[in-house]
Amino acid sequence: MEEIKIIELPKITDERGNLSFVESKHIPFEIKRVYWIYDVPGGEVRGGHAFKKQKELIIVLSGSLDVLIDDGKTRKTYTLNRSYYGLYIPNGIWRQMLNFSTNSLAMVLSSTVFNENDYIRDYNEFIQYINEL
Ligand code: TYD
């Protein structure tokens, strides 16, 4: 199974502020889509699904949130609160996003265009899916 990991992106600082960027060489897939999540009301939980093919990099550009990751065997929570860190989530991983801070903004780079058929939205189905791989 591919590794879930935090990717540290370049950060260029000077007295005018900070600048970060992401290029294809920083991430283990080709970017086909970018989407972002914002204006999340306090206490809401997003995600709650896995992807069969889609790989993602989540960058929290502003504020903070937690990503709960579940590979079917173990669970781990990553707190994202720096705009130069990306959380790489390979395909076949269940995730939830929660504890969004006020005005948080999460940008997600995706390896695929949107396809509802790539989603596994039922947890038991997810467990069955990975056990059959
Ligand atoms: P979903 O991926 O379930 O949101 P989250 O994981 O943040 O809880 O998507 C929510 C809705 O938006 C769902 O109806 C599918 C739609 N959607 C698109 O049409 N295009 C996209 O690129 C994404 C990410 C979602």
Side-chain angles (χ1 to χ4, degrees), residues 33 35 37 46-47 49 51 97 114 116 119 121:
R33 174 171 48 122
Y35 64 92
I37 298 168
R46 298 199 61 112
H49 51 68
F51 296 113
M97 296 166 82
F114 176 72
E116 184 61 43
Y119 281 72
R121 292 189 181 273

Side-chain angles (χ1 to χ4, degrees), residues 43-63:
E44 285 296 339
V45 177
R46 298 199 61 112
H49 51 68
F51 296 113
K52 295 176 199 160
K53 293 210 171 74
Q54 188 178 311
K55 303 170 193 290
E56 291 191 333
L57 186 82
I58 303 176
I59 304 172
V60 175
L61 295 176
S62 179

Side-chain angles (χ1 to χ4, degrees), residues 38-96:
Y38 55 99
D39 287 349
V40 177
E44 285 296 339
V45 177
R46 298 199 61 112
H49 51 68
F51 296 113
K52 295 176 199 160
K53 293 210 171 74
Q54 188 178 311
K55 303 170 193 290
E56 291 191 333
L57 186 82
I58 303 176
I59 304 172
V60 175
L61 295 176
S62 179
S64 67
L65 58 85
D66 291 339
V67 186
L68 188 152
I69 293 295
D70 182 338
D71 64 6
K73 292 193 182 72
T74 50
R75 288 183 172 196
K76 191 170 172 183
T77 299
Y78 292 84
T79 297
L80 300 179
N81 56 11
R82 294 283 180 268
S83 53
Y84 53 90
Y85 281 150
L87 176 63
Y88 172 62
I89 310 179
N91 52 319
I93 301 290
W94 187 266
R95 93 288 314 277
Q96 283 187 321

Side-chain angles (χ1 to χ4, degrees), residues 102-115:
T102 306
N103 290 331
S104 56
L105 168 61
M107 178 176 73
V108 186
L109 312 181
S110 167
S111 67
T112 66
V113 296
F114 176 72
N115 175 9

